[in-house]
Amino acid sequence: MSDTDTTSAASAGDSTARSAQTPNAQLEATPSPTPATTPTPTPTVITPNLLREWTLPGGGDSKYGRGQVVVVGGALRSPGAAQLAGLAALRVGAGRLTLAVARSVAPHVAVAVPESGVAPLAETDDGHVAGSTVRDIADDLSSADVVLVGPGLDDADEAEALLRELPDLLGDDTILALDAYALGVLPKVDEIVQTFANRLVLTPNTSEADRLLERDSDEDADTDLVADTLAIARRYQAVVSCHNVIAHPDGRVWQSGTGHSGLGTSGSGDVLAGAITGLCARGAEPAQAAVWASHAHAAAGDRLSVRVGPLGFLARELLDELPLILVEVEG
């Protein structure tokens, strides 16, 4: 999900293994049924108690032990999206961050986010990230534990070209998260699903969900968000976080029990995508990362709606709330 709305070190030996834990209530996974004959499952409501039973990995003692993240995005017109996503990954505990952004904005991003390395990407004459040149940062991508593609990309054709390069550039265990423009073109790029099945995370908003399902968007249509999110998860063999619903291709579904309408603000989706990415980098498996991050993101919105107002808080203000909420839930 994103407000654009269509929008190098080798891995250290002490990197935390990906967590395979599931909460007790979710241990018995339902086999993938036939959508036409099986009722939509009732989602498990995300609560602090459920999260405490699904403990996050602690991470290693070094930045490499807590995982390496690369965020690919940040075109000339929207570098802030990549910055928000990268900072969210760090705020939930990821160890090392690289922001791969358009060459024209790379120096500015390096100053704005001193905690990050910056990898400049070539641009088209119109200022879009030139997708096929992502191979120029092959070393950064091959050493990443998680790669997030999409925040701040703003051209569909270039996003498609970028996605087509990824199967040859990412490691066999790297988790790939897609947001914004990278979601809108995914139905055209079958090799992504074939290569990254079961290590793919998608974070669409409802309009992007329609594109993933290859249907026309209709705000007045009577759609079932839970059924749609699960259908996307099964089609792309991915963990999907859409609005307040998270679905796994094996049939498990969760729904956030908190959240505020003020989260519908510019950059909020980038923060969520970054938080999911950061928790994956720490060693959480994708569904766990999505469930924890969705709760933290929603709870941060609740806090800011009280302190700042129900509307008007900024996406960057969510960042400071994330580590506090994680600590409080973990006890």
Side-chain angles (χ1 to χ4, degrees):
M1 174 170 57
S2 173
D3 301 283
T4 55
D5 193 26
T6 55
T7 113
S8 260
S11 294
D14 61 348
S15 293
T16 305
R18 309 223 171 265
S19 170
Q21 293 178 300
T22 55
N24 293 337
Q26 295 285 315
L27 283 175
E28 297 297 327
T30 303
S32 297
T34 303
T37 60
T38 304
T40 302
T42 300
T44 297
V45 177
I46 302 170
T47 64
N49 284 338
L50 180 144
L51 297 177
R52 291 185 188 107
E53 294 176 1
W54 204 358
T55 307
L56 287 171
D61 296 330
S62 72
K63 61 185 178 182
Y64 300 111
R66 292 197 302 277
Q68 300 184 71
V69 168
V70 176
V71 178
V72 183
L76 175 62
R77 292 173 57 89
S78 47
Q83 294 178 54
L84 285 170
L87 287 169
L90 292 178
R91 281 299 195 184
V92 298
R96 187 175 186 274
L97 172 65
T98 299
L99 296 174
V101 297
R103 189 178 303 278
S104 61
V105 299
H108 310 287
V109 171
V111 173
V113 189
E115 299 88 352
S116 174
V118 173
L121 296 170
E123 298 168 88
T124 68
D125 292 341
D126 295 328
H128 308 303
V129 169
S132 62
T133 64
V134 73
R135 67 176 74 94
D136 294 341
I137 62 165
D139 288 345
D140 295 287
L141 294 172
S142 65
S143 63
D145 296 292
V146 192
V147 174
L148 169 61
V149 177
L153 294 181
D154 57 2
D155 183 87
D157 290 339
E158 296 299 336
E160 181 180 343
L162 194 158
L163 289 188
R164 293 192 185 280
E165 298 289 336
L166 295 181
D168 293 331
L169 298 175
L170 272 58
D172 292 340
D173 297 320
T174 303
I175 292 173
L176 175 62
L178 302 181
D179 186 41
Y181 268 73
L183 293 167
V185 300
L186 183 59
K188 302 178 182 180
V189 191
D190 291 338
E191 53 264 44
I192 289 294
V193 179
Q194 295 165 2
T195 303
F196 296 100
N198 299 312
R199 52 189 176 109
L200 184 62
V201 181
L202 309 179
T203 58
N205 58 29
T206 53
S207 296
E208 291 159 349
D210 287 334
R211 295 186 189 93
L212 289 167
L213 293 169
E214 297 187 272
R215 70 186 184 196
D216 294 333
S217 295
D218 184 352
E219 293 183 359
D220 297 324
D222 185 16
T223 59
D224 185 334
L225 181 61
V226 173
D228 285 354
T229 305
L230 184 55
I232 295 168
R234 285 175 168 153
R235 173 171 175 173
Y236 296 97
Q237 289 299 292
V239 168
V240 180
S241 173
C242 183
H243 192 46
N244 65 339
V245 175
I246 299 96
H248 191 287
D250 68 7
R252 289 176 289 164
V253 184
W254 300 264
Q255 191 160 26
S256 178
T258 186
H260 196 277
S261 61
L263 286 168
T265 187
S266 180
S268 177
D270 301 309
V271 172
L272 176 58
I276 296 173
T277 299
L279 291 176
C280 285
R282 280 179 52 178
E285 54 99 4
Q288 182 186 28
V291 168
W292 270 84
S294 294
H295 174 82
H297 180 255
D302 286 346
R303 291 185 179 204
L304 290 170
S305 71
V306 173
R307 190 164 71 247
V308 177
L311 300 175
F313 58 83
L314 304 177
R316 65 172 173 257
E317 294 176 300
L318 296 167
L319 297 170
D320 290 342
E321 303 296 329
L322 295 177
L324 301 173
I325 292 167
L326 293 184
V327 167
E328 289 174 7
V329 173
E330 290 177 311

